[in-house]
Each structure stands twice: as C-alpha cells, then as structure tokens.
Amino acid sequence: MIDIAGAPVSFGLFALGDAEGGTLPGPDGLCAVLARQGYTGIDLGPLGFLGRGRELTDRLARHGLALAGGWIDLPFTEDERLPAALEVLETVLDAFAEAAAGVGGTARAALPTLADSGSGVLRHSGTGWQPALDEDQWRRLTRNIRLAVERVRARGFEPTFHHHAGTWIESPQDIDRLLEETDVGLTLDTGHLLLAGGDPVGALARWGDRINHVHLKDARVDVLRSVAETGGTLRDVWTRGAFVPLGHGDLDVDGFMGGLLGQGYDGWLVIEQDRVPRPGEDPSAVERDHAINRHALRKWIPS
C-alpha cells in the first residue's frame, strides 16, 4: 500500500524565503491545493510553517492530511557543530510527536528524514566526481549518523536517510557505503539520483530492501548537467527549472512505478518538484503541476 504526499518545496518553501521576489503560499493555501488534488499527506517543511502543537494538528485535520516526513539536515562531518544540531533535531522531533498525537495513531507513521548538511556544491560534474571524504571523515560521518538514528528511535520514530546533491552522500557509491556502515533506511529520491548520474529504476533492485521512503521527482538531465558542468550550485538547479512535472523530464515514471509496486513497497510516496517562484509567476501554475503529477500516478495508485 502506498500513500501519496506533497511537499512544501514544490511551492518554493525551503528555508529560503522569497529571495527571488516570487510569492510564497501560506500554510492553509498550500494544504488546500494538496487536498483538492488528492494527496493524503504532507512533509513538514520549514519548522513552524504548518504550526506547532494544536495549530499543527488542527491544520492537518482540517485538510485531511497526515504528516509524511520532514527534512532534517545535520553537519555529520563536523563534530564541533553536531551537539547544537542534535538539539535542533530534538525540537523537530517534538513537532513529529505533536502531529502523531493529533491523529491518535490512525495514520501511516511519519519518517524523520535525515540528511547531511553538505555545502551546496555539486560534486558531480557530468564527467567525473570531485574528491569525496577521506577515511577519517567517513568514520566521523557514519558515527554521527548512527548517533542521530539512535536519537530518532529513542523518540519512537523510524528514521530514513536522504541522499542529496551538494552533500557528502550524493553518488550511488556514497549510498552503497552509507548502507554498508549504518542500519538506517534510505529515502530514494529519483531526481537527486538522476543529478548524481544514477538510475532510479536500477536503484530499486540495488537498494530495494533498504528503501523505506520515496521522494518522486522528474528532472531534465540536460539542465542538471549544464548546471554541474558550469560550476553552478544547487540553487541554480532549482532556479533554472531542472525539476519538472512527472512525464516532462527524463525519469522513466512507468518503469519506476512498476518496479516499486512490483517490489511490494509499503510506505509514503512524496511527490516533489523543487522550485523557486519567480516574480509575476502565474499562481495557478503550482496547482496545475500538482494536478499533472497526481494524474500521472492514477494508473498505478487510483485513489
């Protein structure tokens, strides 16, 4: 069984604000779009955006949405910064606990989505890789990931780890080693795997038994490659429109969904289309893209 969620990043809600001059939606407007288009869950987004405590649970209930997950990046290679970051992790887990209490255990559990903070620099150039971590740094990273995983489980949640462009867990080889040296589940993000030169369909066979969360996004590989080869940043990937509605990019949507269901995946499928709103942008474009994305999956997940 698969439940479909949306994400604030698809509306331009990162931790970025509206630096490009575009208009960002409020929490109820965002939730209303997802509810109208048939989504049943939502990622947390920036802490506090959906509210805290009763405000959070009332908002989710009003729109018929459950909390699916939420991004929590931590500086896993930097021991001196980690203690303060772990306190932030605890605060985010407080919000997860608030949301769980609001549904009384009737909804699918949300998965705190751990990630490396990284630098935002794209290591994959399209023709090769910039240097990765040395052995001491890898030991530090995996030790600190295990520490964060223990914290999440101590609060009654099962964590998942998100590979991501611009971090130290970016390439397929990085993911292989992460899974070898930790027991954390994997958030498979099809768009970020394409950016790293990976194959999302092949990833299902490669890591299928460790995938406990999926971020589904389509992407134009030519835009991704152009940004990487010219020394662009992850923000350039977003602003140049590399992530597109399902079926409009290079992701084999049918091949991926067929493989996912064929493996008996049982979890959240979070549809993402990371974007930064532009000044003067048609506000209906966001909902139109959400409708396209949901429609693209109806042959696989009708309701």
Side-chain angles (χ1 to χ4, degrees), residues 11-31:
F11 296 78
L13 265 299
F14 303 81
L16 298 175
D18 54 352
E20 300 296 320
T23 301
L24 298 176
D28 283 309
L30 187 155
C31 290

Side-chain angles (χ1 to χ4, degrees), residues 144 178 230:
N144 289 334
L178 168 76
T230 57

Side-chain angles (χ1 to χ4, degrees), residues 194-261:
L194 285 170
L195 180 56
D199 172 20
V201 177
L204 294 171
R206 185 168 179 170
W207 304 308
D209 62 340
R210 296 290 293 277
I211 297 169
N212 64 347
H213 206 50
V214 175
H215 284 186
L216 182 66
K217 56 166 66 80
D218 204 347
R220 290 182 52 197
V221 172
D222 60 334
V223 177
L224 302 176
R225 186 175 296 118
S226 173
V227 172
E229 289 178 349
T230 57
T233 66
L234 187 54
R235 187 175 182 106
D236 294 319
V237 172
W238 294 323
T239 57
R240 295 185 196 177
F243 296 120
V244 293
L246 295 176
H248 292 232
D250 294 296
L251 175 66
D252 178 2
V253 178
D254 283 347
F256 182 82
M257 289 304 302
L260 190 68
L261 270 70

